[in-house]
Amino acid sequence: MVASQSGVTGTDGQVELDADGAASSIAVDDEVTTTGGAINILADDDVTISADVSVTGGNGAIDLDAGTDLLIDNDATVSTVGTGAITGDAGRSIDLDGNAATCTGAGACAYTAALPGPEACAGTHAAACAAFADAASCLAATASSER
């Protein structure tokens, strides 16, 4: 972590947030960033992303793993710049609200939930991806579903 900054910032290596226990959830309300390495956000219950989560250098991946539900709130961006993949897994459902965006430089993007829904890596979100070399790989939800 870097002093005098809000959120969680890794200057090298992996950043991991892990809520362990049946009713343990994680709510990311401030940015989580690393300049190299991976970001793993894991919870036995829910993972809610309400702020940007990004790997800003290297080829680090982002893994969002919820035992129950994964929610990426409106206007939050989950992004990598290299070949790092973005994966999201949920035991029940995944909800990508409105302007939520997941962007990769050249990596894959995959979301897997027990319940089917319209959320998938489909559609582009050009405004959120303007800083990325491959804007076509910036993927956003085309719809939000309540399950």
Side-chain angles (χ1 to χ4, degrees):
M1 294 178 54
V2 176
S4 75
Q5 290 185 346
S6 59
V8 176
T9 302
T11 56
D12 191 20
Q14 178 174 305
V15 172
E16 183 164 302
L17 306 175
D18 189 354
D20 209 7
S24 298
S25 295
I26 289 183
V28 175
D29 294 324
D30 208 336
E31 67 183 29
V32 176
T33 305
T34 183
T35 57
I39 296 175
N40 300 314
I41 301 176
L42 320 161
D44 287 347
D45 196 12
D46 299 333
V47 172
T48 302
I49 306 294
S50 300
D52 294 348
V53 175
S54 56
V55 176
T56 61
N59 293 312
I62 296 174
D63 182 31
L64 308 173
D65 190 355
T68 306
D69 298 323
L70 170 60
L71 169 65
I72 301 177
D73 280 339
N74 196 32
D75 294 324
T77 298
V78 178
S79 62
T80 63
V81 294
T83 59
I86 297 173
T87 56
D89 300 294
R92 183 171 59 188
S93 68
I94 296 174
D95 191 0
L96 304 179
D97 277 351
N99 291 325
T102 55
C103 313
T104 65
C109 180
Y111 289 92
T112 306
L115 297 178
E119 289 81 6
C121 290
T124 61
H125 194 276
C129 291
F132 295 90
D134 182 5
S137 66
C138 182
L139 306 171
T142 56
S144 176
S145 71
E146 297 295 322
R147 289 176 233 168

